[in-house]
Amino acid sequence: IGTIAVGVAKAGADVINVAGNTGGTGAASVTSLKYKGRAAEIGIAEVHQALCANGIRQKVWLRCSGAMQTGSDVVKAALLGGDSFEFGTTALMMLKCVMAKNCNIKCPAGLTTNAEAFDGDPRALAQYLLNIAHEVREILGRLGLRSLAEARGRVDLLHLLDHPASVGQLNLRAMLTRVPDNAVQHPVYLERDYAVDDALIDQVHDVVFARGERQIDLRPNAPLNNRNNSVGGQLAVDIERLLNHGARVETPAAFQDARGRRFLDQGTVRVVTQGSAGQSFGAFCNDGMTLEHTGTCNDGVGKGACGGHIVVRAPLGGGTAEGENVLIGNFALFGATGGRLFVEGEAGDRFAVRNSGATAVVEGVGDFCAEYMTNGAVLNLGGFSKGFGNGMSGGFAYQYDPERRLSQMISHDSVLMGTLADGSAEAGIHRDAVHQLLDWHHGATGSRRAADLLERWDTILPDLAWIMPRALLQYQDADEILAARSRKELVEELSTALAAHQIAALKEAWKAGRPIHHGAVPAYGEMDTAEMFRLLNSYTVLEMAQTLAAKRGAPERIARDKIARNLIMTEDFALMTALAKHARTAIDGYDQRELSVLVADKRLKDFKRALSLRNILSMDSPGTYAWIIHQDAKNRTAIGSVPSFDELFAQNALPDLIARTAAE
């Protein structure tokens, strides 16, 4: 990895982090930690030596990460060439992490998921790090060194052990080679250059934020060239900081969403450029921004975009044949979460790779278009190549395919396809979506190709193909679920979801510091109502938690209440098992077909909830929303009015409650 380190240092890296096969995130699987990587010490030594030999050691900060636990570990890493040192696994242990490898789902200690139940003390971590620092000073003192900076690279103070437990016959003596630091005198580095964005944000601040104007048109003085990287990227970040961080500057052009995030109105900041833009044009494009470029762009257009519009138009003289009008490079919209991109020409390989919310129209792509896409919509009006939709798990793609080549170019393991004239339900869903995308593209770019297709709309429907991920169908369609899952699996998934849903009502109330169900009580004579079901179910959860707390030796009510609360907040395994058993009894009367519809409805609701929780709201995805409406209607037709989770869970709660009360 020394060669890689030298390369990224030359490319402008400030910090190089070397991590080994020990430690790692607590959420990683045990096999990932056990069988991957090499000892961090080998990498630290190699990177330090390579940087020294190439005269760029002083340019970067070498950070070491290798499950460090003691001051000795720190000093050894410094002697091998390290500058700074990471403490991850051990630091978590000091905070009472129990390494359950379940961080993002259910942390038994409450560290990552339930702050209310977590009882770790940050002072323990602070004391641990102070102890490490004292030990480092003691070791350095014994070595006659005044600082870790003096210790850097002093491998002459280390020696290798010939241990009988060593595996194989590896010769690690090269690790202890002391390479002189060939520091370049008065070096000249090619540092970052954000002059274009610096000039743009100054004007935006003056016009939009200081004077309160609702729109500004910006035109850089000179055409862009290949050295102008990430034009618009720093502008997007600066706008976000002005609106939502620090001293939050006010402007009439800003709006606020339901979560409190402020964003600019559409088209507030319009940037018009021309020339040949460098890499990552429009990276991180934000709400309210419109970037209009006439000319070409390098790789990474719209990378990480979360809003706004990016329009790339063809300069005069562009050819009409395939390959004669390539305007943007590879992996445009990599990891984009929102916004729109319209390209009046062709793109390179991996267009919209890992796109998770952006809408795009392009007039030609290379290999692996829409690879690993998880959401959003892509319409391609031109040529295409192999691997279309590889690994696609969400969103929809559309292709103008008059030559009927698409079926040979898609990954049939990943996606399904059809046309807008095939008579399927999907064809009806996507016809309006494609027409809308063509309208937007023509309006943004004036594309002659889009105008021609709109004019011939009724005749080209058989030539327009829709592409959807198999994963979406297999996960959310009741027929597919019924074909792939046994009754036992359906019951298990549904009962677990029912239990989690009931616990969530209590957790959300306690986290918000408010009474459960806002303190509602049943009205006199109230029976089979939605409110009564919710109250009854929450009572059932509380009673089960109280029963478990009593079994665990909490005779006093205050102690029992605290334990019961922690059981609910941490979703204790025993409590979840009891609730799931209760839920299984409640849904026992449904046949397998009805269970598959209930599971499909549950998954569709989960999908809608996930969309509603997105931080990025600038997502059109017309195909996705049409799919949700279609599947929702299909589920309701299959089982009539699909019962709510509260209604399902309460089907068994009331008889149980009556029986227990009678017994008492």
Side-chain angles (χ1 to χ4, degrees), residues 552-565:
R552 295 185 181 184
E556 297 181 2
R557 179 171 179 178
I558 296 177
R560 190 166 63 247
D561 286 347
K562 181 179 179 181
I563 293 175
R565 178 188 173 95

Side-chain angles (χ1 to χ4, degrees), residues 624-640:
T624 297
Y625 295 128
W627 163 262
I628 290 173
I629 293 170
H630 169 72
Q631 289 300 115
D632 196 46
K634 183 178 177 181
N635 290 339
R636 296 190 179 284
T637 301
I639 201 173

Side-chain angles (χ1 to χ4, degrees), residues 163-186:
H163 197 278
S166 298
V167 178
Q169 299 297 319
L170 290 177
N171 184 357
L172 299 177
R173 292 181 179 85
M175 286 177 60
L176 304 187
T177 302
R178 190 171 183 185
V179 179
D181 187 357
N182 300 319
V184 177
Q185 299 300 318
H186 310 295

Side-chain angles (χ1 to χ4, degrees), residues 157-208:
L157 298 175
L158 290 169
H159 67 274
L160 294 170
L161 293 176
D162 185 12
H163 197 278
S166 298
V167 178
Q169 299 297 319
L170 290 177
N171 184 357
L172 299 177
R173 292 181 179 85
M175 286 177 60
L176 304 187
T177 302
R178 190 171 183 185
V179 179
D181 187 357
N182 300 319
V184 177
Q185 299 300 318
H186 310 295
V188 177
Y189 297 120
L190 186 61
E191 299 289 2
R192 64 190 181 118
D193 180 7
Y194 294 141
V196 175
D197 279 27
D198 288 339
L200 295 176
I201 191 59
D202 287 342
Q203 298 175 68
V204 170
H205 194 283
D206 180 53
V207 175
V208 176

Side-chain angles (χ1 to χ4, degrees), residues 466-540:
W466 53 265
I467 302 165
M468 74 169 293
R470 285 183 178 273
L472 202 61
L473 187 69
Q474 293 167 349
Y475 188 73
Q476 296 180 3
D477 185 81
D479 294 332
E480 293 290 329
I481 294 171
L482 179 62
R485 297 297 182 105
S486 65
R487 177 181 176 85
K488 180 180 178 182
E489 291 173 317
L490 296 174
V491 169
E492 188 66 29
E493 179 177 345
L494 198 57
S495 60
T496 302
L498 283 165
H501 174 75
Q502 299 307 330
I503 274 193
L506 280 75
K507 289 175 64 174
E508 289 171 7
W510 286 338
K511 285 182 177 181
R514 57 173 171 78
I516 299 167
H517 302 305
H518 300 281
V521 294
Y524 180 75
E526 185 176 3
M527 299 230 9
D528 295 335
T529 65
E531 184 65 30
M532 189 64 184
F533 289 148
R534 284 192 290 270
L535 292 171
L536 182 62
N537 293 337
S538 293
Y539 173 82
T540 301

